[in-house]
Amino acid sequence: RQQARQAGRLAGKSFLVTAGPTHEPLDPVRYLANRSSGRQGYALAESLADLGADVTLVSGPTGLRAPAGVTVSFCETARQMRDLALNAVQAHRFDAAICTAAVADWRPAVMQDQKIKKTGRDDQPAPLALIPNPDILAELSELSPFRPSLVVGFAAETEKVEAHARAKLERKGCNWIVANDVGAGSDVMGGPDNQVILMTQDTVEHWPRLSKEEVARRLAMTLADWFSKAN
Ligand code: CTP
Ligand code: CA
């Protein structure tokens, strides 16, 4: 069977996968987040492990079951995710890092110790000051001396998907970008399917609409092909 022939193709290779949203606290009961379910990243971690890879998954809050055979570290915020990812890279020397997480780009400038209270019925909220979070993909891409040989980002776009993804590839310094359209009318974020464009420095591949599990299997195979050519 196809499956049996593929098993073990990534034996001896190690992968870091980030997945899920991050939650950025505003006060003890509120946070900023996004619609990411974590499903694509979890499916990818599982597919890589199915091919024999050693996989570390750094996950934001998802409520998903940890994939079999994968080491999972959980976090809430972007800064925690960054620390877990960079510590793991230093301890582990991964062959590849794949950032599927929908990291919050900004966090509240101040995390209030106590719940922010209304004082009256027509109270206007105070303006919400935000500050930038670390960019985990960019940090991994420029990491030295432990940069994984292959660093892969995902790109969530609502328009001009290919152009934005190409720009992101350059800006982040990663090797590949898996771009998807998460615009209105697409049910990608949180949904069961994904339609992606796989972009490298000199190639662009449009994949058909597939389940996230199928995208994960294809991507794991593509990675196995790349490693078998590279080494
Ligand atoms: N990413 C990350 N850390 C961040 C923001 C993004 O690691 N603070 C990673 C994501 O995991 C993804 C890639 O960067 O692999 C692109 O994320 P995306 O949100 O599409 O791009 P941004 O560079 O944040 O730009 P924008 O949200 O404005 O499109
Ligand atoms: Ca972003």
Side-chain angles (χ1 to χ4, degrees):
R1 286 204 24 234
Q2 164 95 348
Q3 207 99 359
R5 278 207 312 277
Q6 299 298 334
R9 286 195 66 200
L10 285 173
K13 298 290 174 207
S14 59
F15 288 77
L16 172 72
V17 178
T18 69
T22 64
H23 286 183
E24 308 296 331
L26 191 52
D27 71 14
V29 301
R30 303 184 178 100
Y31 57 80
L32 289 184
N34 59 61
R35 292 185 192 282
S36 167
S37 65
R39 195 162 158 176
Q40 185 63 79
Y42 274 59
L44 181 62
E46 183 161 359
S47 292
L48 293 168
D50 284 348
L51 296 188
D54 179 0
V55 184
T56 298
L57 176 62
V58 173
S59 174
T62 65
L64 295 174
R65 193 168 39 84
V70 170
T71 306
V72 194
S73 305
F74 294 99
C75 58
E76 282 206 358
T77 67
R79 285 179 301 168
Q80 290 164 353
M81 187 176 276
R82 191 261 312 260
D83 290 350
L84 286 177
L86 292 193
N87 287 340
V89 168
Q90 261 136 45
H92 215 90
R93 280 182 166 278
F94 293 104
D95 294 295
I98 307 177
C99 294
T100 76
V103 182
D105 293 318
W106 300 282
R107 66 177 182 274
V110 180
M111 146 84 181
Q112 303 290 343
D113 290 341
Q114 305 298 334
K115 184 183 167 192
I116 302 164
K117 296 292 289 175
K118 283 185 307 208
T119 48
R121 217 164 136 175
D122 299 322
D123 236 18
Q124 292 303 310
L128 187 53
L130 300 176
I131 54 174
N133 268 329
D135 189 317
I136 301 163
L137 175 62
E139 289 191 22
L140 288 171
S141 296
E142 61 198 20
L143 203 67
S144 136
F146 297 121
R147 186 194 193 275
S149 319
L150 191 70
V151 178
V152 181
F154 272 60
E157 307 294 348
T158 58
E159 54 164 0
K160 302 183 196 142
V161 178
E162 209 174 308
H164 283 161
R166 176 63 61 197
K168 224 165 251 184
L169 185 68
E170 304 303 331
R171 180 155 47 84
K172 304 268 189 172
C174 57
N175 301 93
W176 301 355
I177 285 271
V178 180
N180 48 26
D181 190 336
V182 297
S186 111
D187 51 359
V188 163
M189 224 155 171
D193 294 342
N194 206 352
Q195 186 164 1
V196 308
I197 302 172
L198 174 61
M199 196 173 275
T200 71
Q201 289 299 332
D202 39 37
T203 64
V204 181
E205 252 180 56
H206 289 255
W207 290 10
R209 184 182 173 102
L210 298 165
S211 70
K212 287 181 178 173
E213 288 69 26
E214 193 55 35
V215 169
R217 280 192 284 273
R218 276 176 82 140
L219 195 52
M221 301 280 206
T222 308
L223 288 159
D225 291 343
W226 187 84
F227 277 109
S228 66
K229 278 181 208 135
N231 303 289

